[in-house]
């Protein structure tokens, strides 16, 4: 990339994360291109340069990369060997295939983190039924089963209460070709997330640690700053930064953590990482000096990173999860009228029950009021409140 040419960042995948990267690219004056599976994908709707193609197709990836100065990603379900080849041939892929493997493959991630001495729940590969019984005998019921690849929003996570349920589950999934792993069921006190933006040379900035409020395996709310002690927040931050270095991340890397009651006080265990902007960082668009999307772009371009400080004492994000199939549009003016104000972000996705279709962020001086305002506006937008 020559110094006076406008750099083009190519994004593989065109979901809401790519859409919000485009929003952040505008003030930086950079070019963006997306590789979308469908012309009506969330980001394809707002991008002038759309290539239609598949993230598991080596030729599509190669042809796409040839039109971009830097390739980055909206998700990790990508043909990693093809990305490695693009890099070997002189392309710039950030994060690269080596980093993406952590996010794509939960079993690899757990194995590597354990090897590095990081705190993770007990886990094992689910190879046969006796493996389940053996694991449960060691760690007790319930146990958690996860697909090693491809899960999101709790799809790909199952909790099995006893041997009978495990038998039914095993019989139903045997022969489907999905690689599964077993995990100790963790008695979670709270869930936290920490986002780090990292440049290729290793320079990082870290966002305030947040609490993620999950129900049925889906994140409903994100609370910044997390209501935890400074000591826990510092430990979370240190883990996030350590993982950013360990994985060689470039761009945003999000680390999801469990707070667990231990014999000597609260412990932090790593749930999983995402090597890209993440739902737990959407609060930063309105709530921080530099959003996660802006810092992701700066990092993949190897440009200076921006400050991550909160711009209000409390920032709360509530996800919009589809309740029905009705358009949200008629409800937008009512949400905008919520006293105190909120910032809606709609993804342009067709509404389906349970689908993440947007989020809303509230800023305020009072933790409870700010949270109530965000949650109420989300309820208005999804039709659960008027
Ligand atoms: N070992 C565990 N013990 C107890 N609860 C768990 C465990 N693993 C996951 N969970 C719960 O399920 C949620 C989803 O799990 P996980 O983050 O692994 O799945 P995912 O579908 O990849 O999520 P994401 O929405 O972040 O993509 C967690 O946030 C947590 O609430
Ligand atoms: Mg998760």
């Amino acid at each position: 990339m020559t110094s006076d040419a406008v750099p083009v960042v190519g994004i593989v995948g065109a979901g809401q994360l790519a859409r919000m990267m485009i929003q952040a690219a505008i003030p930086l004056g950079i070019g963006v291109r997306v590789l979308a599976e469908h012309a009506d994908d969330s980001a394809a709707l707002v991008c002038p340069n759309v290539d239609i193609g598949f993230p598991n197709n080596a030729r599509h990836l190669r042809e796409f990369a040839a039109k971009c100065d830097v390739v980055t990603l909206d998700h990790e379900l990508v043909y990693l060997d093809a990305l490695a080849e693009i890099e070997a041939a002189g392309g710039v892929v950030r994060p690269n295939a080596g980093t993406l493997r952590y996010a794509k493959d939960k079993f690899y991630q757990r194995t590597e983190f354990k090897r590095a001495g990081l705190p993770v729940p007990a886990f094992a590969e689910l190879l046969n039924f006796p493996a389940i019984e053996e694991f449960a005998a060691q760690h007790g019921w319930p146990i958690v089963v996860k697909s090693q690849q491809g899960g999101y929003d709790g799809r790909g996570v199952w909790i099995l209460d006893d041997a009978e349920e495990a038998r039914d589950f095993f019989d139903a999934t045997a022969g489907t070709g999905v690689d599964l792993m077993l995990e100790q069921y963790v008695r979670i006190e709270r869930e936290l997330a920490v986002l780090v933006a990292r440049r290729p040379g290793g320079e990082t900035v870290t966002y305030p640690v947040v609490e993620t409020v999950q129900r049925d395996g889906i994140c409903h709310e994100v609370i910044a700053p997390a209501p935890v002690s400074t000591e826990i927040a510092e430990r979370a931050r240190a883990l996030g930064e350590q993982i950013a270095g360990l994985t060689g991340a470039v761009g945003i890397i999000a680390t999801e953590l469990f707070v667990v009651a231990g014999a000597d006080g609260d412990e932090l265990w790593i749930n999983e990482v995402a090597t890209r902007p993440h739902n737990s960082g959407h609060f930063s668009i309105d709530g921080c000096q530099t959003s996660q999307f802006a810092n992701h772009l700066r990092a993949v371009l190897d440009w200076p990173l921006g400050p991550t400080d909160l711009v209000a004492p409390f920032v709360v994000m509530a996800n919009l999860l589809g309740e029905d199939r009705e358009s949200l549009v008629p409800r937008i003016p009512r949400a905008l009228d919520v006293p105190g104000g909120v910032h809606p972000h709609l993804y342009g996705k067709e509404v389906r029950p349970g689908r993440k279709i947007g989020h809303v962020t509230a800023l305020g001086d009072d933790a409870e009021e700010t949270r109530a305002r965000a949650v109420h506006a989300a309820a208005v937008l999804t039709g659960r409140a008027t």
Side-chain angles (χ1 to χ4, degrees):
M1 154 186 5
T2 59
S3 57
D4 57 353
V6 172
V8 175
V9 174
I11 307 167
V12 176
Q16 63 262 25
L17 301 177
R19 181 176 168 114
M20 291 184 271
M21 280 187 225
I22 294 169
Q23 179 187 4
I26 295 168
L28 291 173
I30 58 181
V32 180
R33 176 171 282 280
V34 296
L35 182 65
E37 292 188 31
H38 311 284
D40 63 351
D41 285 350
S42 181
L45 295 172
V46 298
C47 189
N49 309 306
V50 179
D51 289 15
I52 301 294
F54 292 92
N56 53 8
N57 181 306
R59 182 172 59 83
H60 293 175
L61 288 171
R62 220 169 29 240
E63 289 174 1
F64 179 71
K67 299 180 205 167
C68 309
D69 295 298
V70 182
V71 173
T72 190
L73 305 101
D74 158 284
H75 62 80
E76 48 283 326
L77 304 177
V78 179
Y79 185 17
L80 297 187
D81 291 347
L83 290 184
E85 279 169 26
I86 290 167
E87 213 184 8
V92 181
V93 183
R94 291 176 174 161
N96 69 15
T99 299
L100 286 162
R101 187 171 172 203
Y102 286 89
K104 186 174 181 185
D105 183 341
K106 284 182 177 171
F107 187 72
Y108 172 75
Q109 185 189 127
R110 283 256 184 277
T111 306
E112 290 303 307
F113 287 178
K114 188 176 171 193
R115 194 203 305 273
L118 292 166
V120 295
F123 67 100
E125 215 165 353
L126 199 176
L127 295 171
N128 46 43
F129 189 70
I132 304 184
E133 289 181 308
E134 204 179 301
F135 191 83
Q138 227 179 329
H139 302 285
W141 297 99
I143 57 167
V144 179
V145 180
K146 292 187 180 180
S147 46
Q148 294 184 17
Q149 298 194 10
Y152 68 99
D153 288 349
R155 290 169 200 141
V157 177
W158 299 271
I159 295 171
L160 307 179
D161 285 328
D162 51 38
E164 199 184 328
E165 241 182 77
R167 183 80 244 178
D168 292 346
F169 178 87
F170 185 79
D171 291 344
T173 51
T176 55
V178 179
D179 291 327
L180 298 169
M181 59 190 272
L182 301 167
E183 215 169 84
Q184 162 191 11
Y185 179 83
V186 180
R187 315 251 165 223
I188 303 167
E189 292 204 326
R190 311 177 181 271
E191 297 191 48
L192 306 179
V194 57
L195 273 82
V196 175
R198 184 173 183 273
R199 284 177 75 173
E203 182 199 324
T204 59
V205 292
T206 305
Y207 283 84
V209 175
V210 296
E211 176 174 9
T212 62
V213 180
Q214 316 269 340
R215 283 194 283 279
D216 303 325
I218 300 185
C219 175
H220 282 249
E221 293 159 42
V222 171
I223 297 169
V228 295
S229 67
T230 317
E231 195 238 324
I232 288 285
E234 273 309 312
R235 266 158 54 193
R237 187 186 166 95
L239 279 172
E241 288 168 3
Q242 187 182 349
I243 286 170
L246 176 77
T247 57
V250 176
I252 294 283
I253 178 161
T255 302
E256 299 178 2
L257 299 160
F258 296 145
V259 181
V260 184
D264 301 318
D266 283 345
E267 295 175 5
L268 286 177
W269 293 10
I270 297 159
N271 177 26
E272 58 164 350
V273 297
T275 55
R276 51 163 167 76
H278 189 251
N279 194 180
S280 64
H282 293 355
F283 76 95
S284 65
I285 300 176
D286 305 292
C288 292
Q289 286 201 37
T290 315
S291 82
Q292 64 161 342
F293 299 100
N295 266 335
H296 183 77
L297 293 172
R298 291 175 183 218
V300 303
L301 287 164
D302 201 12
W303 286 357
L305 303 173
T308 54
D309 311 68
L310 292 176
V311 297
F314 298 99
V315 181
V316 178
M317 184 228 59
N319 275 326
L320 304 179
L321 298 161
E323 282 280 322
D324 46 33
R325 289 173 180 270
E326 309 269 313
S327 161
L328 297 193
V329 175
R331 302 169 187 154
I332 297 171
R334 264 183 280 140
L336 296 177
D337 210 22
V338 167
V342 293
H343 303 277
H345 295 261
L346 304 180
Y347 304 156
K349 287 159 65 170
E350 198 187 314
V351 186
R352 287 205 292 265
R355 191 180 200 200
K356 263 185 208 161
I357 46 180
H359 71 266
V360 55
T361 305
L363 280 64
D365 297 325
D366 179 88
E368 267 180 46
E369 186 278 327
T370 308
R371 182 173 180 183
R373 181 152 34 97
V375 168
H376 175 62
V380 169
L381 279 163
T382 50
R384 287 179 288 113
T386 48

